[in-house]
Amino acid sequence: QAWYKRHLGIDVQPWGGAAFTWTDSEGAPMAGTTIWSIGQASATPFAPGTAPFMINYRVDDVRALVQALRDEGCQVLDKVDESEYGIFGWVIDPDGNKVELWQPPAGQ
């Protein structure tokens, strides 16, 4: 995390990632954000995944998608979180990577 801040100027937040607000060609903010997170060598923030990173996909309906993935036999984590940042669910891909599914709050 320190490397990203020092060399690329990315302000990694205490939660372990950074948020990049989308902009148009003029640099004006648009609706949307790209989030990335990286783990620390001493922690396993993406368990039960095995990678030191996690991919986050923006989806329309987290609850419907996690149910469809369960129905298809995928390894879906039982927990779905809802907060002011949106609704989150997680699935483990065939390579053991934890994948986050994010439904942004209405209007984003």
Side-chain angles (χ1 to χ4, degrees), residues 8-34:
L8 300 178
I10 296 173
D11 188 19
V12 178
Q13 299 297 303
W15 51 268
F20 303 93
T21 302
W22 296 354
T23 60
D24 63 17
S25 60
E26 305 297 317
M30 295 175 51
T33 306
T34 297

Side-chain angles (χ1 to χ4, degrees), residues 40-105:
Q40 300 173 10
S42 63
T44 56
F46 308 122
T50 56
F53 63 88
M54 181 172 58
I55 295 173
N56 171 294
Y57 289 107
R58 183 179 179 137
V59 301
D60 290 328
D61 186 337
V62 166
R63 289 185 177 88
L65 181 54
V66 296
Q67 186 58 55
L69 293 169
R70 271 191 196 99
D71 293 347
E72 293 169 4
C74 296
Q75 183 184 351
V76 177
L77 294 157
D78 289 333
K79 179 172 90 170
V80 171
D81 282 347
E82 188 165 353
S83 73
E84 68 270 21
Y85 303 109
I87 304 171
F88 299 86
W90 298 269
V91 63
I92 306 300
D93 77 8
D95 292 325
N97 301 308
K98 186 177 180 182
V99 176
E100 185 168 73
L101 308 168
W102 171 53
Q103 179 182 333

